[in-house]
Amino acid sequence: MSIEEFNQLDTASARTLVAVWAAIPAWVDAVVAGRPYGSVDLLASRAADLAAGWTRADLDAALAHHPRIGERPVGAGAEAAASRREQASMTDAAADVAGRIAAGNAAYEARFGRVFLIRAAGRSPEEMLAELERRLRGDDETEAAEATGQLAEIALLRLRAAIHDGHQDDEGAAA
């Protein structure tokens, strides 16, 4: 979708789209209310500025919609599709790595009371496992801040995957 098309969406449709990026209602409302945006960079900058104010309550609300690393997201919605794309590298994970991630997920949830969140896009299963093991050693406050940062990275990647400047040509490249 072009930035112009995004700017022209009715409010409900825009909210639905932005909620896929991060299901934090106040953030969604603020991003949508900021329209029109002159470029994807301006939209992403505004979204990032707003994400910098996310709280632990915002993180907890958003995590209700995120699957565990290594679990195949279910559903036919846009959020499930985005999670499947982001976790595509897990389909090639060695059995021992997948097992250690599953055990790490359980340990993380027992320790921190929330799902382990990491920007999976661009990371190998081994990299995600190393991050999971590292973050399990941190304190709750530091980990909440790190998880919130990861959520912002995911939101901005999803934003840039959904919105582009200009119009798409027949091959799908921006014109």
Side-chain angles (χ1 to χ4, degrees), residues 70 72 84-99 101 123-126 128:
R72 183 129 177 103
R84 280 191 288 276
R85 280 190 307 275
E86 293 158 1
Q87 289 198 43
S89 70
M90 284 301 298
T91 60
D92 298 327
D96 66 318
V97 172
I101 288 174
R123 287 191 167 115
S124 70
E126 293 78 14
M128 289 185 278

Side-chain angles (χ1 to χ4, degrees), residues 37-63:
Y37 295 98
S39 69
V40 175
D41 287 341
L42 291 172
L43 169 59
S45 177
R46 177 70 175 142
D49 288 347
L50 292 165
W54 284 345
T55 65
R56 185 175 293 207
D58 293 328
L59 173 66
D60 291 340
L63 287 180

Side-chain angles (χ1 to χ4, degrees), residues 27 31 39 50 64 68 71 84 92 102 121 123 154-155 157 168:
W27 180 82
V31 169
S39 69
L50 292 165
R68 290 173 184 88
E71 288 185 359
R84 280 191 288 276
D92 298 327
R123 287 191 167 115
I154 292 165
L157 284 172
Q168 296 281 319

Side-chain angles (χ1 to χ4, degrees), residues 6 8 11 13 16 21-22 28 33 48 61-62 69 73 86 88 108 114 119-120 130 134 141 146 157 169 172-174:
F6 174 70
Q8 293 171 5
T11 301
S13 296
T16 298
W21 308 340
V28 170
I69 294 297
E86 293 158 1
Y108 185 96
R114 65 183 163 269
R119 175 192 42 80
R134 178 189 66 79
E141 186 174 324
E146 190 154 354
L157 284 172
D169 65 19

